[in-house]
Amino acid sequence: MLDRLQELHDEAMKKVAEAEDLNDLKEVRVAYLGKKGPITEVMKGMGKLSAEERPKVGQKANEVRESVKSYIEEKEKAFEEAAMLEKLKKESIDVTLPGRPVSKGSRHPLTSVVETIEDVFIGMGFNVAEGPEVETDYYNFESLNLPKHHPARDMQDTFFITSDLLLRTQTSPVQTRTMEKHEGQGPVKIVCPGKVYRRDEDDATHSHQFMQIEGLVVDEGIRMSDLKGIFATFVKQYFGEERDIRLRPSFFPFTEPSAELDISCAMCGGKGCRTCKQTGWIEVLGAGMVHPNVLKMGGFDPDQYSGFAFGMGVERFAMLKYGIDDIRHFYTNDKRFLNQFTRV
Ligand code: 2NL
């Protein structure tokens, strides 16, 4: 029996030595050390042995098992290490390879125009205020002297959400909200940039959603000449020193008197051309003295306070400054368009 065990040992050791991978080792383990293996088989016959021989065979069997087992484990470890090394080699990263270039984004032209305009007004002591795009009928219309069924509401076709909620048609509601916060105490000096919405057919010069900047100054003794002075400074800083301005009478329900601001045409220097339709002037914004009703609803006493307000379309300013011929370029995100503004 001892000889048989030694024979099995040598056989198993040879197979382990010949094993080429983990799978081969598993087969040897199952074949020789498993419950149905020959060593177990030999040990089952131990009952027939004498009391003297039994422990010897038992010891030998254990020795054989241990020896085979530790050889298998040793080789398993070696295979695993080799596999790991192979894997590390395969997955190693060449840190000296040049990186792939990441294309840099840039400010959207509308964003940079808004920021430029904001900066000019901040330089004249204005604060920047923002507010919600979903507004109530009260803030968008009523507080601006546009009661329900007023015909001038039709000037701004509106996206209604409910009978009382709507997408703001101008950023003026931010201004009436700011007036309320001042609780009748001047001065108020703000510009309000933001998206506004109107039910319009989109074409080269109209969009149902666009950017607006409105401004509001309320204090004691504010006059039309203050408005004109602020505009003269603004236009020269934004469009260039050589630009002239003029005011033309106009109408808005929230201002009285109201005016339209023109700037002298840069294309022809005021002589008249296609861009200015032969007038030498280009209309850029609407403005006026804040209507007493609007001051009152904003919490200001119109006998003590007066103010001026204005509103401009940001797209129009960007189009005039950069010679863009179609408003839709701002929203279609064509990189050939956007890439031209990486440095503004
Ligand atoms: C335009 C003209 C304008 C205003 C907006 C305003 C705001 C308050 C009070 C009075 Cl809180 N007025 N805003 C005034 C005049 C004109 O916008 O053509 N916008 C595109």
Side-chain angles (χ1 to χ4, degrees), residues 144 172 175-176 179 212 214 252 254-255 286-287 290 294 309-311:
L144 288 154
S172 329
Q175 298 177 307
T176 40
M179 273 197 276
Q212 205 192 23
E214 285 203 25
F252 299 106
F254 20 85
T255 45
V290 180
V294 177
F310 55 92

Side-chain angles (χ1 to χ4, degrees), residues 15 25-39:
K15 290 234 165 107
L25 289 174
K26 198 173 154 196
E27 274 171 23
V28 181
R29 186 196 291 273
V30 172
Y32 287 87
L33 305 178
K35 276 193 191 124
K36 288 176 189 153
I39 298 175

